[in-house]
Every structure is written in C-alpha cells, then in structure tokens.
Amino acid sequence: MLIALLIVACANTSLTKPNTSTPRITPTSSESNNASPVEQPAAGSITVHITLVEFRILSSLKTFHAGTTYYFVITNHGQDTHEFKILPDKPDGTPQSPEVQFKDSLIELEPIMPGTTWTINFKFSAAGRFEFACQMGKHYMAGMMLPIVVAS
Ligand SMILES: [Cu+2]
C-alpha cells in the first residue's frame, strides 16, 4: 500500500534533481502552499512526532526497531520551508559522504511549508545508524540533522 503510493508519487513528480531510487513525495498541487500529503496511521504503528525549525530537527523518538511501522507526524514550526529526509550514517554514527547520502536516502519529503504537517507510515527494513536531515539550502550545514539508531 505504502509502496504503491510512493511509486505513484514518484511517477507524478517532475524531478529537479537527477533521478534516483529515493521515494519522493511532493504535494499533489504545486500551486497551493497548503498542500500536505497526509496518511492515516497504519494499524499497530507507533507515532513519532517530528518538529522542524531553523535549524534543528526534534524527534519524540531517537531509537527505533527494524520491522516496526512508525507513523511520522512531521510539523514545520519554523519560518522557512524545510524537508524531511532519512539518510544512512556510517556504522560509527557519523554522516556518510554527500554522494552516499544523496544516493541512499530512505525517504524524502519536500517541500514542507511553514505551519504545515505531513504524516507518513514508514518501516525500517534493517538495523543500522541513520539520521533525520534537511538538506535544503545550507540548513544541513547549520545543524539541521539528528542522528538516530535503528536496532534489530
Ligand atoms: Cu531545512
């Protein structure tokens, strides 16, 4: 169900970056600043509240488990437009190179306009070190990333 939605979202998206396998979701109407893709929580999912501000990402959970479905409720409480990406980290928890981050991101939700909330169900398929991140403009370099742990 989620995969089908992501595929449809990808097919309908006019990419501004080189094509990748990253699931990308953009608002169905690019004309509206209020367009916010919204999913209902999956049965048995665990809700995670994500807050985006300049220039930090806050999460109600920082340790996750592979195979568990999480219902991400992502709200932009800042003044700027942000995005929500999940990127792989190195085994020691430090960030991967920008090339690997770009190529292997697990999810990419953008643009998340100020004052809007996006919701999506997501399941990590394997344990590892990851980070939540916004790579818009210089946001990432300004500290807009949050390391997380996915346990088995
Ligand atoms: Cu940002």
Side-chain angles (χ1 to χ4, degrees):
M1 172 73 178
L2 174 60
I3 290 176
L5 174 68
L6 293 175
I7 289 170
V8 169
C10 283
N12 291 340
T13 299
S14 58
L15 296 173
T16 54
K17 302 175 189 173
N19 201 358
T20 73
S21 60
T22 303
R24 298 180 88 246
I25 298 181
T26 57
T28 50
S29 168
S30 58
E31 309 302 320
S32 170
N33 284 352
N34 297 319
S36 304
V38 170
E39 285 186 12
Q40 297 303 309
S45 61
I46 295 174
T47 297
V48 184
H49 290 279
I50 303 287
T51 299
L52 308 175
V53 294
E54 292 82 37
F55 293 99
R56 297 184 66 191
I57 299 179
L58 310 173
S59 176
S60 62
L61 263 187
K62 291 180 191 171
T63 300
F64 299 82
H65 290 277
T68 298
T69 299
Y70 294 94
Y71 181 63
F72 286 95
V73 180
I74 306 150
T75 302
N76 183 355
H77 284 295
Q79 307 295 317
D80 289 355
T81 299
H82 295 293
E83 66 178 354
F84 179 72
K85 298 180 77 168
I86 301 177
L87 306 174
D89 278 350
K90 295 174 182 172
D92 67 0
T94 58
Q96 292 277 6
S97 70
E99 292 75 20
V100 173
Q101 287 186 338
F102 182 79
K103 182 169 62 73
D104 293 340
S105 66
L106 302 183
I107 201 167
E108 178 175 353
L109 305 179
E110 56 106 356
I112 303 176
M113 299 297 183
T116 62
T117 296
W118 291 33
T119 57
I120 188 169
N121 296 284
F122 181 77
K123 188 191 300 184
F124 292 94
S125 57
R129 305 291 289 263
F130 298 86
E131 62 186 62
F132 300 148
C134 172
Q135 294 181 310
M136 287 191 152
K138 306 240 184 276
H139 297 191
Y140 186 87
M141 296 306 292
M144 207 163 172
M145 59 87 82
L146 179 70
I148 61 165
V149 173
V150 178
S152 54

